[in-house]
Amino acid sequence: MSTEARPERAAVRLSPRTVVLYAIGSLGTGGYATLPGLVLTYFLTDNLGVAALAAGLIVTAAKIWDVIIDPLIGAASDRQLARTGSRRGFMITGALTLPLFFALTFAVPPSWGPVAGAVCVLLAFLATATSFSLFQVPYVALPAELTDGYDERTRLLGWRVVVLTAAILLFGAGGPALRNAGSDPVLGYLVMGVAAGLVIGIGMLIAARTAGPSTSSGAQEGVPRNSPPASPWRDQYLSGFRALRRSQPFRALLGTFLLQALATGTMLAGAQYVATWVLRSEDAVTFVFVALVGPALLATPAWTAIARRIGKERAFAIASALFAVAALTITAAVWAPGEWIYGSVAVAGIAYAGLQSLPMAMLPDVISHDERVSGPGQAGTFTGIWTAGETVGFALGATVVSLTLAATGYISTVAGVAVQQPDAAITGIVLSFSILPAVLMAASLLTLRHYRLRRHDIDVAAEPGA
């Protein structure tokens, strides 16, 4: 089907205030996705003395918890929308509770020992993950309800990704810099956790203001729709699987996004190790993130323009291929490590902007397409499964890195103790940051080929009387 540009309906254009408030929520999503993925495994292995394999299992266990609760939160959010006309309640609860749990995650001192420290980090991070899911699942559902315009969704999500990439820079570069500002690493992690948790919570709280009375899917502003009866947990999970079974575009897009979350999660978990053991400076992780996010900030409007011209799915494929090539070039650091790595990371950053904005702009199209077939009121079900899939990808990324470290003989230590890593461990670090993400990204192009929705399908369906 044609991807030629069609005129956007003026009636669906979002106000600048709505776009800005929604985008600010990415301070929360960017912070939560970036900082734990970047430093939590390293915090466990190189500050608390936890073995690399155990550290990876801790991070994975918390993410598995996300997978369990996200579909339940999605179904509960749909019921809240039907009952009250808004998804705001869950979002505010997550925003108010996350800062405390996030700070506690990094408050464990090495003096407690690796076993007690690992258990405490696990419990605190499980609570943090719960708070984040309460916000994130309804937050991702909002674009499908705020506008039904194909290009307007790209605009909304494009500005969100501008804030997201800025948040990645803020947390990915500023978090480790704050941690290293003093001479005491234990206090540094605590200060980092408190400051980051507060910024994440504030961003979430601001974005919750966009979840006002719904005017989509037949609801009248300020008038709650009839609330469906609460269903057993089993039915709530089955509703997510039914959505996957009946929506071919959702299966294709989710499969693509899951593989890409695994690829970027692998790079994210390996970045601190690359900085410390390949670039030989713990502080170099700041420059890695500047190299990634600086180009991404500039590239996001360009990806939005490209998507308007050739369609989201084709622009998404181009961004994916560019990221795979950039990651693959970093493999050369096995033989010739050096600052040239920043150049490859910068090219990946240009692609990363597209990888963030385009699939998130395609998800509302998938939801609205399903509504025409199965009826409205199931956006939370879709976003619950989507968020769970994203979580699986990032969780397995940390697991892949920890397994690679364990298999190549990486030596864990506690704060203040210097060690020398074997050559095999350093090679494993490079490969987990380069060739593994490249292969996963290439695989995602195969699933993307099966995504069949085009601009025509969305714009024609959005016309009055369609």
Side-chain angles (χ1 to χ4, degrees):
M1 282 173 281
S2 173
T3 59
E4 293 180 359
R6 291 175 178 266
E8 183 71 33
R9 294 187 303 142
V12 300
R13 187 163 182 83
L14 295 168
S15 69
R17 177 182 180 274
T18 298
V19 173
V20 169
L21 291 179
Y22 185 79
I24 289 175
S26 284
L27 279 176
T29 58
Y32 176 82
T34 300
L35 201 53
L38 176 65
V39 303
L40 186 55
T41 303
Y42 189 79
F43 171 68
L44 289 163
T45 60
D46 286 52
N47 193 70
L48 300 184
V50 178
L53 183 58
L57 292 175
I58 288 170
V59 176
T60 302
K63 298 300 185 180
I64 290 173
W65 173 246
D66 274 345
V67 173
I68 293 172
I69 65 173
D70 283 353
L72 300 178
I73 292 174
S77 179
D78 283 340
R79 292 197 302 273
Q80 184 182 71
L81 176 67
R83 185 178 66 254
T84 68
S86 173
R87 300 183 186 271
R88 184 179 295 169
F90 281 7
M91 297 174 72
I92 291 176
T93 301
L96 293 177
T97 56
L98 184 140
L100 172 63
F101 298 135
F102 193 92
L104 290 176
T105 300
F106 294 98
V108 180
S111 59
W112 288 11
V115 176
V119 171
C120 290
V121 169
L122 174 61
L123 293 176
F125 197 46
L126 284 174
T128 305
T130 303
S131 294
F132 180 72
S133 290
L134 287 172
F135 169 84
Q136 177 73 351
V137 173
Y139 177 68
V140 175
L142 290 179
E145 297 162 354
L146 291 172
T147 178
D148 54 7
Y150 179 91
D151 286 327
E152 194 65 7
R153 289 167 178 168
T154 308
R155 171 176 168 252
L156 176 66
L157 274 301
W159 282 108
R160 178 198 164 187
V161 170
V162 170
V163 177
L164 177 66
T165 51
I168 292 171
L169 177 60
L170 174 66
F171 289 95
L178 189 60
R179 173 197 63 186
N180 297 334
S183 58
D184 183 357
V186 178
L187 179 61
Y189 274 109
L190 176 59
V191 171
M192 180 194 72
V194 171
L198 287 173
V199 174
I200 291 171
I202 290 171
M204 290 175 165
L205 202 58
I206 292 172
R209 298 179 64 185
T210 61
S214 174
T215 58
S216 67
S217 303
Q220 294 181 349
E221 186 169 355
V223 180
R225 294 172 295 181
N226 293 329
S227 176
S231 56
W233 287 16
R234 177 176 176 272
D235 290 344
Q236 294 178 26
Y237 283 115
L238 288 177
S239 67
F241 288 112
R242 285 193 292 268
L244 275 172
R245 184 171 62 249
R246 70 175 180 262
S247 177
Q248 187 277 334
F250 187 49
R251 292 195 302 272
L253 187 61
L254 180 63
T256 302
F257 195 66
L258 193 153
L259 286 169
Q260 295 193 357
L262 177 55
T264 54
T266 300
M267 290 191 76
L268 185 64
Q272 181 67 77
Y273 294 97
V274 169
T276 302
W277 300 109
V278 180
L279 297 174
R280 296 296 176 179
S281 170
E282 194 174 72
D283 294 335
V285 70
T286 299
F287 299 104
V288 171
F289 269 83
V290 170
L292 176 70
V293 176
L297 280 170
L298 300 175
T300 298
W303 287 116
T304 300
I306 293 171
R308 279 181 173 272
R309 184 174 181 83
I310 66 174
K312 300 174 193 178
E313 70 290 337
R314 292 176 63 189
F316 189 24
I318 293 170
S320 303
L322 181 62
F323 189 96
V325 171
L328 188 61
T329 63
I330 302 175
T331 308
V334 172
W335 304 279
E339 294 182 355
W340 63 265
I341 292 175
Y342 298 132
S344 294
V345 172
V347 175
I350 293 173
Y352 184 71
L355 301 185
Q356 290 296 303
S357 62
L358 296 170
M360 293 301 296
M362 294 159 73
L363 178 60
D365 296 339
V366 170
I367 294 172
S368 62
H369 175 266
D370 182 76
E371 285 183 342
R372 298 200 304 273
V373 176
S374 305
Q378 300 186 69
T381 298
F382 275 84
T383 58
I385 295 294
W386 177 270
T387 305
E390 179 183 19
T391 298
V392 166
F394 278 109
L396 292 179
T399 303
V400 167
V401 172
S402 65
L403 288 173
T404 303
L405 294 177
T408 54
Y410 186 84
I411 302 172
S412 298
T413 186
V414 297
V417 177
V419 298
Q420 180 64 41
Q421 299 295 344
D423 291 342
I426 296 176
T427 298
I429 289 169
V430 173
L431 295 181
S432 67
F433 194 74
S434 57
I435 195 167
L436 288 178
V439 170
L440 290 165
M441 195 62 65
S444 75
L445 288 168
L446 299 178
T447 58
L448 181 59
R449 291 180 60 187
H450 298 286
Y451 181 82
R452 298 168 184 167
L453 289 183
R454 300 295 185 264
R455 181 194 305 274
H456 175 79
D457 301 310
I458 305 305
D459 281 352
V460 168
E463 292 174 359

